[in-house]
Each structure stands twice: as C-alpha cells, then as structure tokens.
Amino acid sequence: MLTVVLELCEEVAKRAREIGKVGRTVSFSVSYSHNEGGFHQSVTLDIATNLTMDIYRVCKRIFHKFYDGRSVRVIHVSLGNLMDEESLQLSFFEDRTKERALAKAMDAIRDKFGPNALLRAVSYTPGSVARIRNGYIGGHQA
C-alpha cells in the first residue's frame, strides 16, 4: 500500500516542479471499500517543498496513525498552499539544492524518454501500479 502512496507522491511532486511551485500543505486521504468510510488529514509544513520524499514522509506518518487494516478503494495525495519556487526561503542549516537538481534531472529524463524510463526500484515490486498507470491516457489503456 505504501508503494502506491510513494508513487502518487512522486506524481504530485513532479507536477508541482513542472509549474515551478512549492507547497506547504500536504493532504492525504484514504477511502475504504464498500462505503466503509476512511480518513482525510492535512499537515502544514514549516518549509514549502516539491520534493517527493518530503511529501511521502508526511503521508506515511498520517497513514500509520489512521489506517486500520481495511481494504482500500481510493488513495488521494495533494499539495496545497502553493507559492512560486523562486520565493522559497533558503535555510542556513539545510542545503537542498542538490536534491532539487536531482529531482529536476529525473523529471527531464522522464519527459524526454517517457514516464517508465526512470522509476524507483519499488515500482518493480508486485504492489506497484506506476508502470501500469503510465500506459494509460485519461484512465484508459493507450
């Protein structure tokens, strides 16, 4: 299940980087099968981000706190409270320029050679849906 969450976080972060935005609010929700409810939580970060692992850490923390083992139908990840990436305040204690450059390089490779050209190792495990979803257009097989 966390494999799918990581893949969704990767997608959300890539879309934010494409439009030059960073966000402070990470929203994560899970809906259970058979109309059994679910949960939705939002966390506002101190520093805005568009990095996959920052978003994933928040989602993972929410997931472990609220998930009760029932079968899941829908997982939703979003990034809100957006601002321009250039307006991001730099920190004296943490230099993230290499992480941001790596993320943008990975995006460039995917844009040039296709979304399946560069995937995380977790995307090759049985629980992954990224390779399948990358073959769809508008929810339908291409």
Side-chain angles (χ1 to χ4, degrees):
M1 177 91 67
L2 288 174
T3 301
V4 176
V5 173
L6 177 58
E7 292 170 346
L8 289 173
C9 291
E10 183 85 50
E11 246 179 79
V12 168
K14 183 181 185 304
R15 287 196 314 254
R17 287 189 299 269
E18 282 175 352
I19 60 173
K21 301 288 184 183
V22 291
R24 287 191 56 218
T25 304
V26 177
S27 297
F28 179 69
S29 63
V30 168
S31 298
Y32 297 125
S33 298
H34 310 296
N35 296 324
E36 294 179 6
F39 59 88
H40 172 84
Q41 292 289 310
S42 296
V43 174
T44 300
L45 304 170
D46 294 333
I47 299 171
T49 188
N50 60 9
L51 297 175
T52 300
M53 293 312 292
D54 292 344
I55 298 168
Y56 176 67
R57 276 189 281 278
V58 172
C59 293
K60 186 176 168 184
R61 189 174 63 222
I62 295 169
F63 180 81
H64 285 304
K65 185 174 182 180
F66 293 100
Y67 180 62
D68 60 9
R70 290 185 268 177
S71 56
V72 173
R73 181 178 178 94
V74 177
I75 300 171
H76 176 80
V77 177
S78 65
L79 187 62
N81 202 357
L82 299 175
M83 61 185 74
D84 290 332
E85 194 171 19
E86 294 86 33
S87 66
L88 187 64
Q89 185 173 350
L90 300 176
S91 171
F92 285 116
F93 307 108
E94 195 174 347
D95 185 15
R96 314 274 318 260
T97 54
K98 287 183 182 178
E99 290 176 63
R100 292 185 195 290
L102 176 62
K104 288 186 181 195
M106 290 170 60
D107 292 343
I109 291 169
R110 289 183 182 124
D111 290 343
K112 185 171 183 175
F113 298 106
N116 285 336
L118 184 62
L119 295 170
R120 294 178 182 269
V122 74
S123 295
Y124 291 97
T125 61
S128 170
V129 296
R131 291 181 299 143
I132 297 166
R133 287 185 67 209
N134 289 340
Y136 289 171
I137 297 174
H140 303 282
Q141 258 186 341

